[in-house]
Amino acid sequence: MFFNRIHIQNLILSCFITVIFPVLAHGQKMMVDTAQVNSQLATVRSLIDVREFSAAKKIAQKVLANTSASEYNEARAWCEYYLGIIYFEITPIDSAFYWLNRAKADFSLINNQIALIKTYNRLGIFYRRTDLNDSSLHYYNLALNKATAIADSTGLAEANYGLGMVNAQIGNYTKALEHYSNSLAIREKLNDKAGIASVYNSMGILFWEQGAYSTALDFFFKALPLRVETKDRQGEAFLLNNIGLIFRDVAQYEKSLDYLRKSWKIKIEINDKRGISNSLMNIGSVYLLLGQVDSALLYFEDALALKQILLDRGGVANINRFLGEAYMKIKMYDKAQLYLTKAIEGYTKLEEPRGVVESKYDYALLLFQMGNSPKAFALVDEVLEQAKKHGMMDMVAQSYNALYQFNLAKNNCQGALQNYEKYIAVKDSIAGTEKMKQILAAQLQVEYENIVRQHFERFNEQLSLVDSQKQSRTRLLILVAIAFVLLLGLFLGLLYTMYKRKQALVEVESQRISVDIKQRELQEQRDELERQKNLVVYQRDRIINILTDLGESIEYARKIQQAVFPTDALLSQYFRDFFVLYLPKETVGGDFYWVGNCSGKIGFAVADCTGHGVPGGFMSMLGISMLNDLVANTPTSSPGLLLGKLRDNIISALRQGGHEDDSHDGMDVAFCTFDRSTHTLNYSGANMPIIISTNSNIPNDNRIVQVGEGLIEFRPDRMPVAYYERMERFNELSIKLEPNDTVYLFSDGFTDQFGGKPSKKFGYHSFRNLILSIKHLPLYEQKMTLYRTLEKWKGEEEAQTDDILILAVKPI
């Protein structure tokens, strides 16, 4: 009996362990605080919206770990979806696709069709951004079909928008516009302001790619207030970037930099690393067009570092090509060769034929500059063949032009003539293609106007529907009133009934008149708005055309000014080593530098003319012209005498005589001559000192001051090259230079630049100390240090105060 009792107890315990405990355990597994999980998911969404991806990742991983041990499949699927978005932003990208595909499988499992459509659309976005257009189209079409089947308006709008983006990317512009229009119509019905802004932005890009800059800007400026209203900082940054690039394309470089920097600032605030890298690249491209290669290089190098971290292969290839062009401009051929080779390899892996062709073309120009003519000719022939194969007629024309230039440089007149004729023929063909492009842009404009007209027709239909509903309600009121009057008529009689009916009819007529008046007012308001819009568009187009013409004129003036400045080749003939840091405040500047032969001696000067921009540019051209005439017609190498004659010529040319209404323009000048046979440097200055890094004995003169070990300053006469109350002879200072001595000539732009905290001028004392700290470095590194110091001092808050010019030379 005792055995049986023990046996039964063991049996009960065994049943509890094998049957009841798993059931309880399963019940415990199901116990998940869904409210807490949903709250955590909402936090993840909010953190993604403000681009705090690291924090969002930690919470999402924690929620995923908790839900993996439960049956809360929907929460787990949303975690996977959010992790896909997070990893796409913080890399690695492969992890982004992994998590989105897991989310797709889990949403299918729980049959959440809305979430599945969102995942398809998100996969479409990611594949498009990584240049995998076929996969992108596949997922957008899946989203489109499923959203149509279940009448998901939001998913349908997103799918149409994505299909528009991909079709625009592959050049199918008409199809892109059709999808954009479908998305816009849906988003207007939903009153989705953020979505409407996205479509406006993409439509602007579409017209921009066809050269219709005015229409593109119209869309961008429509979208911008919507981005601000919806507090979409990333979208606002994208629009400012696009506006900046349009101004770049029409040569309005200052406006371009202004908008691009505003975009860059927002991207930094929201920690958009991919956007930051694009801003750095775009700003660098503007500086490259301005000829400010040092500035361009700094931005390109920073952009490249970010692109490599983000695994943005297309962006890396673009920047490598930009770097190759930049280093080719400053004749650093080894680096140019390295970056162009990387660009070719990158574009080849991405299967982007245009990038490959353009990079190889740049490489061919580099080979020819390096003196490797056979390889240059062979590479241009290869570029020509590939350009013809892919229908890149602009590159075909450039290839023939390059062959013409190469043959001309080699004195092969027959070859040059043949290629020039081919170049002209292709140019004529391209002109026809450009005409077709304009026709396409016009067709797109017509289609857009049709969309606008359809929009107003839908608006009128809705207005008519509202009127009809009002009339129906009025009729219902009449019937109710009549019924009520009939009931009362049992008590008050026929006369009272007739009176109430008449009163009701009067009220109906009043309402009808009121509706008619409202309709007329709405029509008049719509007509007035249309007139105002047409007037604004006309005025805006006129302003853009004026700005474009003005920008082109100023850009041409800059090219003329740059052409009269001494070239690097000329400076190399006169000096063993040198650098020029030239940063005009505007497109053209009032600072200039000059080099020439002064009666057998090397003459060189730096000048700071009155004003900057266009007035300063005129003065600088006048000064260069006068200096060239003086050294050609004056048999002297005395810098003091030459400055005196330059002053006489300026006074004569500007008709200065000390009268109140006379011109007060002039210039400050540091003028030097160097005798190669005796190694003697002579200096004369008008309000402009020079600094010399030397190991020579310092002459005994109160105008020669030692400012540091191995660094001296020659001080100028305190009078300008212009009419002045003091018109004495300009004095001269001399010193015998040793090998490797450096002479620094500079305007006051660097020292007068505002910056730092609190904002103040950089100062002449700080400038001398900076020269003292870098004088032992190679000149190119000195130049880069000066530039970086200036940029750091200015920061993002301060604009450039004045033209900046520093010329450093090693005469021996």
Side-chain angles (χ1 to χ4, degrees):
M1 190 72 181
F2 177 76
F3 172 80
N4 288 340
R5 189 166 56 249
I6 297 296
H7 180 73
I8 291 168
Q9 289 173 349
N10 288 337
L11 184 63
I12 292 170
L13 181 62
S14 176
C15 288
F16 179 81
I17 293 172
T18 57
V19 178
I20 299 173
F21 182 77
V23 170
L24 292 175
H26 182 71
Q28 187 177 4
K29 184 178 181 181
M30 291 296 294
M31 292 174 64
V32 175
D33 189 345
T34 56
Q36 183 183 9
V37 169
N38 291 336
S39 174
Q40 290 172 325
L41 286 175
T43 303
V44 172
R45 282 197 301 272
S46 300
L47 288 170
I48 290 174
D49 289 341
V50 296
R51 305 190 64 78
E52 291 291 342
F53 297 113
S54 297
K57 177 184 171 185
K58 289 179 182 177
I59 298 174
Q61 287 174 332
K62 181 180 177 182
V63 175
L64 185 65
N66 292 337
T67 54
S68 295
S70 72
E71 297 298 328
Y72 195 6
N73 295 329
E74 183 163 354
R76 183 171 65 253
W78 280 113
C79 276
E80 292 161 351
Y81 176 81
Y82 293 137
L83 283 169
I85 296 173
I86 292 165
Y87 274 107
F88 190 80
E89 294 292 340
I90 65 175
T91 67
I93 293 174
D94 291 342
S95 297
F97 288 112
Y98 167 78
W99 287 111
L100 279 180
N101 280 307
R102 281 191 55 171
K104 179 184 67 173
D106 283 344
F107 283 134
S108 296
L109 186 66
I110 63 176
N111 197 30
N112 188 335
Q113 298 296 306
I114 298 292
L116 191 58
I117 291 167
K118 284 178 70 71
T119 309
Y120 285 154
N121 277 320
R122 182 64 63 173
L123 282 165
I125 292 171
F126 289 176
Y127 278 117
R128 174 175 57 79
R129 289 186 180 176
T130 50
D131 298 316
L132 297 170
N133 293 321
D134 290 340
S135 297
S136 180
L137 285 171
H138 169 71
Y139 279 105
Y140 277 134
N141 280 314
L142 283 177
L144 185 72
N145 294 334
K146 192 167 286 292
T148 303
I150 67 170
D152 175 15
S153 297
T154 301
L156 202 59
E158 290 177 358
N160 269 295
Y161 178 67
L163 287 167
M165 294 284 282
V166 182
N167 277 285
Q169 194 161 298
I170 62 178
N172 193 348
Y173 299 121
T174 304
K175 195 74 175 173
L177 188 62
E178 179 184 338
H179 283 296
Y180 287 153
S181 304
N182 293 338
S183 179
L184 183 62
I186 296 169
R187 284 172 167 172
E188 284 178 338
K189 286 180 181 178
L190 297 172
N191 194 27
D192 176 9
K193 293 181 180 179
I196 293 168
S198 296
V199 179
Y200 281 159
N201 178 60
S202 298
M203 282 183 160
I205 294 172
L206 195 65
F207 282 97
W208 176 15
E209 290 175 349
Q210 302 307 310
Y213 300 122
S214 175
T215 306
L217 276 177
D218 189 21
F219 278 114
F220 292 153
F221 283 118
K222 277 182 179 178
L224 190 57
L226 292 174
R227 293 293 195 201
V228 174
E229 183 181 349
T230 56
K231 297 181 180 178
D232 181 359
R233 299 286 282 161
Q234 187 179 39
E236 183 183 351
F238 284 163
L239 282 166
L240 291 169
N241 180 78
N242 290 343
I243 293 168
L245 291 178
I246 284 192
F247 280 118
R248 182 193 66 181
D249 289 352
V250 297
Q252 291 289 312
Y253 298 127
E254 292 301 325
K255 282 184 175 291
S256 174
L257 287 172
D258 182 40
Y259 279 100
L260 290 175
R261 284 179 177 138
K262 287 178 181 176
S263 173
W264 181 28
K265 184 177 179 181
I266 293 173
K267 290 170 183 175
I268 291 171
E269 290 173 0
I270 65 176
N271 193 31
D272 180 4
K273 293 180 180 177
R274 192 176 301 273
I276 291 168
S277 68
N278 289 333
S279 287
L280 290 168
M281 179 176 68
N282 293 334
I283 292 171
S285 71
V286 177
Y287 278 117
L288 194 60
L289 289 170
L290 284 167
Q292 298 180 21
V293 180
D294 294 333
S295 301
L297 284 173
L298 290 174
Y299 284 102
F300 289 149
E301 287 165 1
D302 289 345
L304 181 61
L306 269 178
K307 292 287 187 189
Q308 289 170 337
I309 293 170
L310 295 167
L311 301 181
D312 184 353
R313 297 178 299 162
V316 169
N318 289 336
I319 296 172
N320 281 329
R321 185 174 165 229
F322 277 133
L323 285 167
E325 291 178 6
Y327 280 114
M328 185 162 55
K329 280 191 174 185
I330 58 176
K331 298 180 175 56
M332 294 183 68
Y333 296 135
D334 291 341
K335 285 196 171 184
Q337 196 169 12
L338 171 67
Y339 284 111
L340 286 176
T341 302
K342 287 182 178 179
I344 294 168
E345 291 172 355
Y347 286 127
T348 303
K349 289 178 182 177
L350 288 169
E351 298 181 357
E352 289 190 12
R354 174 164 284 278
V356 173
V357 168
E358 291 177 344
S359 299
K360 285 185 175 180
Y361 174 80
D362 289 340
Y363 195 40
L365 298 182
L366 174 64
L367 289 171
F368 194 80
Q369 287 185 28
M370 294 170 66
N372 195 341
S373 302
K375 282 191 177 180
F377 274 100
L379 190 55
V380 172
D381 287 336
E382 181 184 336
V383 168
L384 184 59
E385 182 181 347
Q386 291 181 3
K388 288 179 178 178
K389 176 183 175 183
H390 295 288
M392 302 174 190
M393 298 310 294
D394 57 328
M395 293 309 299
V396 172
Q398 289 191 47
S399 299
Y400 280 131
N401 186 41
L403 289 171
Y404 157 65
Q405 298 289 347
F406 290 177
N407 280 289
L408 197 62
K410 292 293 182 182
N411 294 320
N412 181 359
C413 297
Q414 184 177 358
L417 180 61
Q418 290 174 351
N419 284 290
Y420 184 74
E421 289 173 347
K422 292 177 181 177
Y423 165 67
I424 294 301
V426 176
K427 283 271 288 184
D428 292 341
S429 172
I430 290 174
T433 305
E434 288 297 320
K435 188 67 177 175
M436 290 301 296
K437 191 174 180 181
Q438 292 173 7
I439 292 170
L440 176 59
Q443 290 174 346
L444 288 174
Q445 184 70 37
V446 169
E447 291 185 27
Y448 170 66
E449 289 171 356
N450 287 336
I451 292 165
V452 173
R453 188 182 67 254
Q454 291 169 9
H455 172 76
F456 278 113
E457 288 173 356
R458 287 197 300 272
F459 177 77
N460 289 332
E461 289 173 3
Q462 292 171 356
L463 189 64
S464 299
L465 181 61
V466 170
D467 291 342
S468 174
Q469 290 172 348
K470 284 184 178 179
Q471 291 174 3
S472 297
R473 285 195 296 270
T474 302
R475 284 194 294 270
L476 180 61
L477 288 171
I478 293 171
L479 291 173
V480 171
I482 291 172
F484 181 70
V485 169
L486 288 173
L487 288 173
L488 290 178
L490 295 173
F491 303 96
L492 303 176
L494 182 60
L495 183 62
Y496 186 71
T497 302
M498 291 178 61
Y499 170 75
K500 291 296 294 181
R501 182 180 299 174
K502 183 178 179 181
Q503 189 179 37
L505 289 173
V506 168
E507 184 179 348
V508 169
E509 181 65 17
S510 174
Q511 289 178 351
R512 187 187 66 76
I513 293 170
S514 177
V515 169
D516 288 343
I517 292 171
K518 287 291 183 185
Q519 281 184 321
R520 284 197 297 272
E521 287 177 353
L522 285 172
Q523 182 65 40
E524 289 171 359
Q525 289 174 2
R526 188 164 60 245
D527 292 345
E528 180 61 26
L529 285 173
E530 186 65 23
R531 283 194 296 272
Q532 290 177 1
K533 176 193 170 187
N534 291 336
L535 177 60
V536 169
V537 169
Y538 169 74
Q539 291 173 340
R540 184 209 59 212
D541 289 348
R542 282 199 61 195
I543 291 169
I544 289 177
N545 290 333
I546 291 169
L547 287 175
T548 301
D549 292 342
L550 180 59
E552 290 174 353
S553 299
I554 294 175
E555 174 63 15
Y556 189 64
R558 182 188 70 81
K559 291 179 180 178
I560 293 173
Q561 186 183 45
Q562 292 288 329
V564 299
F565 282 178
T567 63
D568 289 353
L570 180 63
L571 290 167
S572 298
Q573 292 176 14
Y574 284 115
F575 305 112
R576 183 171 65 82
D577 197 4
F578 67 90
F579 78 71
V580 179
L581 180 61
Y582 178 59
L583 303 170
K585 182 177 185 291
E586 299 174 13
T587 306
V588 291
D591 290 2
F592 71 86
Y593 56 101
W594 173 89
V595 176
N597 188 329
C598 294
S599 299
K601 295 182 181 180
I602 301 170
F604 55 102
V606 161
D608 183 355
C609 300
T610 305
H612 46 74
V614 174
F618 275 114
M619 283 296 298
S620 70
M621 296 289 286
L622 181 64
I624 292 171
S625 175
M626 286 184 174
L627 277 174
N628 287 331
D629 288 341
L630 277 175
V631 298
N633 300 312
T634 306
T636 181
S637 61
S638 166
L641 289 175
L642 288 170
L643 275 186
K645 289 186 175 295
L646 178 62
R647 177 172 61 189
D648 294 341
N649 289 348
I650 290 288
I651 290 171
S652 175
L654 299 181
R655 299 175 184 173
Q656 296 176 340
H659 304 294
E660 187 176 342
D661 57 348
D662 283 351
S663 164
H664 294 86
D665 296 321
M667 59 190 73
D668 297 336
V669 183
F671 196 107
C672 298
T673 60
F674 180 72
D675 190 335
R676 280 180 168 170
S677 60
T678 64
H679 294 175
T680 301
L681 177 79
N682 288 330
Y683 155 80
S684 186
N687 286 334
M688 188 176 286
I690 66 170
I691 292 175
I692 304 173
S693 171
T694 180
N695 294 318
S696 301
N697 294 324
I698 302 173
N700 186 15
D701 192 301
N702 59 3
R703 292 172 57 224
I704 300 176
V705 180
Q706 184 166 358
V707 294
E709 185 178 351
L711 201 70
I712 62 174
E713 176 189 326
F714 279 12
R715 292 185 172 174
D717 290 306
R718 292 303 175 188
M719 50 186 177
V721 177
Y723 186 87
Y724 192 60
E725 59 187 14
R726 178 181 165 213
M727 301 281 285
E728 299 173 1
R729 183 184 183 279
F730 287 100
N731 294 300
E732 294 184 11
L733 297 172
S734 300
I735 188 172
K736 187 172 182 180
L737 298 180
E738 297 293 333
N740 212 37
D741 285 355
T742 307
V743 183
Y744 300 89
L745 291 75
F746 46 89
S747 67
D748 60 2
F750 198 112
T751 60
D752 287 350
Q753 178 60 49
F754 279 91
K757 292 183 180 179
S759 180
K760 61 181 180 179
K761 289 184 178 181
F762 189 83
Y764 186 60
H765 180 71
S766 299
F767 178 72
R768 288 191 308 194
N769 288 338
L770 179 58
I771 296 293
L772 183 63
S773 68
I774 65 173
K775 66 184 180 67
H776 63 283
L777 298 175
L779 287 189
Y780 181 77
E781 292 185 21
Q782 291 188 36
K783 177 182 178 180
M784 295 302 291
T785 303
L786 285 165
Y787 179 79
R788 288 192 180 100
T789 303
L790 178 69
E791 288 296 303
K792 184 177 180 181
W793 178 254
K794 279 196 311 182
E796 288 300 319
E797 302 300 325
E798 294 289 349
Q800 187 168 325
T801 308
D802 196 1
D803 299 326
I804 295 171
L805 173 59
I806 303 174
L807 170 66
V809 297
K810 289 183 181 290
I812 307 174

